[in-house]
Amino acid sequence: MFIGEGPGKDEDQQGRPFVGKAGELLDKMIGGIGFKREQVYIANVVKCRPPDNRTPTPQESQTCLGYLKRQIELIDPGVIVTLGATPLRELLGIQTGITKVRGSWQRLELHRAIPVMPTFHPAYVLRQYTNEVRGAVWADLKAARAWLEEHP
Ligand code: URA
């Protein structure tokens, strides 16, 4: 399961997560670890588009959190990959910068303990298209994939 921040313009129009430019990259990231989009579940912290694509406020995020937690419970994913700082902050209460936390396993205590791999948001990767950032995301995704293989 992948968790982003919130719908952008394209997502808002289509009613589906990650269908714009960031979604294209997310599709490639998913494909890179050997999955099709239909084999993973993609969700967002907030379910409505914040005006001007701003970061959702803590209050907006907390309003949608029950919905997201229910999605997680129903999907019961083997691993969650969080994309960017917002899901990490709102779902796990981790305020540490994403550059520091990415790549280190976290744990979400819900109906059971679910391993969480934080990585950069694809929109950030598109803005910072460096070997360093892309390599970091690749390493994080490979770690998530390896966990699933080791815990079928
Ligand atoms: N960015 C997100 O965080 N979520 C989307 O669905 C699209 C872009």
Side-chain angles (χ1 to χ4, degrees):
M1 180 167 183
F2 290 82
I3 303 180
E5 179 176 284
K9 189 161 178 263
D10 298 317
E11 289 76 20
D12 211 35
Q13 275 167 2
Q14 295 187 38
R16 297 185 62 214
F18 282 99
V19 291
K21 280 264 172 296
E24 274 174 36
L25 179 56
L26 182 60
D27 281 344
K28 284 188 192 153
M29 289 162 55
I30 292 166
I33 50 167
F35 287 113
K36 295 201 179 84
R37 192 179 169 115
E38 309 82 73
Q39 293 176 290
V40 304
Y41 191 86
I42 306 171
N44 280 309
V45 170
V46 293
K47 312 305 184 187
C48 300
R49 181 182 179 218
D52 304 319
N53 283 339
R54 64 162 168 72
T55 304
T57 63
Q59 194 192 350
E60 287 165 349
S61 299
Q62 294 307 308
T63 302
C64 291
L65 207 62
Y67 189 133
L68 177 62
K69 285 185 175 170
R70 192 72 188 120
Q71 285 179 300
I72 298 169
E73 283 172 355
L74 290 171
I75 297 299
D76 193 24
V79 170
I80 293 174
V81 176
T82 51
L83 305 166
T86 303
L88 211 51
R89 187 177 59 241
E90 302 300 344
L91 191 59
L92 288 141
I94 295 172
Q95 307 276 352
T96 319
I98 182 69
T99 310
K100 268 200 177 159
V101 193
R102 64 133 284 274
S104 60
W105 284 108
Q106 309 295 322
R107 177 200 289 257
L108 175 68
E109 303 282 351
L110 217 53
H111 58 299
R112 61 179 183 84
I114 303 172
V116 176
M117 174 50 67
T119 197
F120 291 125
H121 193 288
Y124 173 79
V125 181
L126 288 173
R127 288 196 305 273
Q128 301 286 325
Y129 208 67
T130 63
N131 283 342
E132 197 185 350
V133 168
R134 287 152 64 198
V137 171
W138 178 230
D140 302 343
L141 294 175
K142 275 201 301 190
R145 172 83 220 196
W147 174 277
L148 287 177
E149 273 163 18
E150 287 157 22
H151 304 83

